[in-house]
Amino acid sequence: MRVSFETLGCRLNQYDTQLLTEGFKEAGFKIVDHKEKADVRVVNTCIVTSKAARESKNIAKNYSRDSNRPFIIVTGCYAKIGIEEIKAIPGVGIIEPNLNKIALKFLHTSLPMTIKSFEKHIKAFVKIQSGCDQFCSYCIVPYARGTPQSRPLEEIISEIKALIANGYEEFVLTGTNIGKCNLLNIVKAIEKIPGIRRFGFSSIEPPNPSANGLGISDELLEFISESQKFSKYFHIPLQSGDNKILELMGRWYTAEEYEELICKIKEKIPDVAIGADVIVGFPGEGEQEFLNTYNLISQSPISRLHVFRYSKRPRTKALDLIRQPTDEVSEGIKKERSKILRELSKRKWQEFRNQFIDKILEAHIESKPKNGYQVGVTSNYIKVLFKSPFELGNKFVKLKIKDVNNSYSHGQLVI
């Protein structure tokens, strides 16, 4: 039988899809692209925004119209929150966020404990944690993913060794809220594994005083600053640069504390790139609050942004802030503010990359040759377009940065 997978949302979802893929393979299924005909369709959904929830629902609906009437399995966060809506879609046979329950119901066996590959990626995502109990006022994820659970260290190490045996050299440690883990112990153990060339974190929250030294501690930064293998990239959600909005969001830090954190990281690791998530249009965000966010980003070491428009989510506390229409920020203003921050992000990313012109950086080859060019990604996530007379494949190479534009830095292969 043929099975296809379609994944929306975060890196953790991508990891979960890989685990399911390997389970189906071991059960004898042929894995096909979602654009091909399949007997079974697996949709790994997202619900972090209303747009993601709509897309998740629409994909399942579209599959229900397939002429060959596939068996549809819906998993991910929408399978936890939107059960009644999914039940109304013809052809959906299983609605289940728990991956192992899917395997037991459909494959009549448990899933493997670890993955051995990562389809269509040169680097592998490794789950180290799942769940979150922060309950930020805009976020539905804790209701979908449950309470924090750290993965056993020995299981993480075993998985990375299996991936290395299959040719992987770069890894991204991911989870719902990895700041809930003892990251220092994890990175110290991973650093010692033979065969690792580079590894780093996915998104990591600013330290929470209640975390008892977990997450981004001074000891962790000291270790990372001396590591030859850890990526020079951090993605640390900001969400807002205004203290009033941060408090309404249920965040646990001030704008000043956030800026102090990223300045400390920049001081420890001068070549580091720092990405941040920002939400525009949260209830109560006026012009001054938005300006405070803009100014913090503009004046800080943040290198690039992921900008989101506030999206009302069921069950979240932010809904209580909207008592009348004037409490909401209009969609037009959200679009305008998104555009302003995206332009700021472009400028800051260009300024960051300009620092490396005429410098030699190590890059991991990301693409196959196209018109004689390939793309390599540096430790601080700079994409470098360069010309090569031969295919370099999944290799690390030295590139001299020659020029920078909006899309890529341009480099020259150093032999």
Side-chain angles (χ1 to χ4, degrees):
M1 294 181 75
R2 296 156 63 91
V3 59
S4 74
F5 295 86
E6 193 153 3
T7 309
L8 295 93
C10 62
R11 286 172 167 170
L12 185 55
N13 265 15
Q14 293 180 54
Y15 175 90
D16 288 345
T17 294
Q18 181 62 37
L19 191 61
L20 276 176
T21 298
E22 296 196 12
F24 272 79
K25 268 186 181 177
E26 287 185 13
F29 281 78
K30 181 180 180 182
I31 313 300
V32 299
D33 188 84
H34 66 89
K35 294 177 182 177
E36 298 180 47
K37 285 186 177 181
D39 306 292
V40 181
R41 302 284 193 184
V42 180
V43 188
N44 195 350
T45 62
C46 177
I47 199 171
V48 72
T49 64
S50 55
K51 180 182 178 183
R54 279 197 309 273
E55 287 179 359
S56 298
K57 183 179 178 180
N58 287 339
I59 288 170
K61 271 188 171 179
N62 288 338
Y63 285 150
S64 73
R65 300 184 186 111
D66 280 4
S67 57
N68 62 320
R69 297 182 177 275
F71 186 91
I72 302 170
I73 299 172
V74 178
T75 188
C77 291
Y78 191 47
K80 176 85 170 182
I81 303 298
I83 296 173
E84 295 306 316
E85 293 177 350
I86 302 168
K87 280 181 180 177
I89 301 172
V92 175
I94 295 177
I95 306 166
E96 179 55 69
N98 186 299
L99 304 186
N100 209 45
K101 286 183 179 178
I102 292 173
L104 291 170
K105 285 179 185 177
F106 194 75
L107 304 177
H108 307 296
T109 184
S110 295
L111 286 175
M113 296 295 290
T114 59
I115 61 171
K116 298 175 183 174
S117 182
F118 215 89
E119 303 285 333
K120 300 177 183 177
H121 288 78
I122 60 161
K123 59 183 135 187
F125 302 156
V126 173
K127 181 172 77 171
I128 63 171
Q129 180 272 348
S130 63
C132 181
D133 58 3
Q134 299 291 173
F135 289 96
C136 297
S137 67
Y138 53 82
C139 187
I140 195 172
V141 171
Y143 300 99
R145 284 282 183 181
T147 55
Q149 292 184 328
S150 294
R151 195 174 179 196
L153 181 56
E154 59 272 16
E155 200 173 283
I156 296 169
I157 301 304
S158 174
E159 181 164 272
I160 290 174
K161 286 180 177 178
L163 288 160
I164 288 171
N166 284 322
Y168 289 86
E169 297 181 277
E170 183 172 0
F171 303 88
V172 179
L173 309 180
T174 191
T176 316
N177 184 353
I178 66 171
K180 294 289 183 177
C181 295
N182 190 325
L183 294 175
L184 181 59
N185 284 355
I186 293 171
V187 298
K188 280 184 174 180
I190 292 174
E191 176 99 0
K192 295 175 184 176
I193 301 173
I196 282 199
R197 191 70 175 263
R198 183 192 292 169
F199 71 105
F201 299 140
S202 62
S203 181
I204 178 170
E205 294 283 5
N208 192 320
S210 66
N212 298 319
L214 300 180
I216 310 175
S217 64
D218 290 344
E219 293 80 8
L220 177 69
L221 286 180
E222 188 66 37
F223 183 84
I224 288 173
S225 70
E226 296 173 358
S227 171
Q228 299 300 307
K229 298 180 180 180
F230 199 90
S231 295
K232 295 182 179 180
Y233 183 82
F234 281 83
H235 190 92
I236 306 173
L238 168 63
Q239 308 307 10
S240 174
D242 179 82
N243 287 334
K244 182 191 89 173
I245 299 300
L246 285 171
E247 186 175 356
L248 290 173
M249 287 177 164
R251 304 295 279 177
W252 51 92
Y253 52 85
T254 64
E256 293 77 16
E257 287 168 342
Y258 181 93
E259 188 169 16
E260 182 182 353
L261 169 66
I262 62 173
C263 286
K264 181 165 61 175
I265 294 171
K266 187 72 174 176
E267 184 181 350
K268 281 279 185 190
I269 313 167
D271 288 349
V272 72
I274 298 174
D277 295 334
V278 184
I279 298 171
V280 298
F282 188 81
E285 184 189 69
E287 288 298 325
Q288 186 58 55
E289 288 79 16
F290 175 70
L291 183 61
N292 290 341
T293 297
Y294 182 94
N295 288 339
L296 185 151
I297 295 164
S298 180
Q299 297 161 14
S300 76
I302 291 173
S303 313
R304 60 195 298 188
L305 300 172
H306 288 171
V307 184
F308 302 88
R309 293 181 224 161
Y310 169 70
S311 179
K312 289 190 283 189
R313 308 310 298 127
R315 305 189 192 184
T316 57
K317 295 176 183 176
L319 295 178
D320 296 335
L321 301 173
I322 304 170
R323 297 183 179 90
Q324 51 191 1
T326 53
D327 293 332
E328 292 193 70
V329 179
S330 73
E331 287 303 313
I333 291 175
K334 287 180 190 177
K335 286 181 183 178
E336 181 185 344
R337 291 177 183 171
S338 293
K339 183 180 178 183
I340 290 169
L341 288 188
R342 288 193 174 103
E343 289 300 318
L344 175 61
S345 178
K346 283 181 186 177
R347 175 171 64 80
K348 295 215 72 179
W349 188 231
Q350 180 122 357
E351 289 171 356
F352 175 79
R353 291 179 296 139
N354 283 342
Q355 301 172 54
F356 299 96
I357 292 175
D358 292 329
K359 292 186 178 180
I360 295 174
L361 302 177
E362 184 178 69
H364 192 182
I365 303 304
E366 172 179 85
S367 68
K368 291 183 178 180
K370 187 175 182 180
N371 299 324
Y373 287 90
Q374 293 181 77
V375 175
V377 182
T378 69
S379 179
N380 43 19
Y381 274 44
I382 298 172
K383 289 191 173 185
V384 185
L385 187 69
F386 68 99
K387 201 158 192 175
S388 173
F390 42 83
E391 182 175 350
L392 294 166
N394 180 22
K395 287 186 171 61
F396 285 81
V397 297
K398 300 286 186 183
L399 299 173
K400 186 172 185 179
I401 309 302
K402 306 297 289 183
D403 188 24
V404 172
N405 63 22
N406 285 339
S407 301
Y408 292 98
S409 295
H410 293 260
Q412 179 182 339
L413 186 64
V414 177
I415 305 296

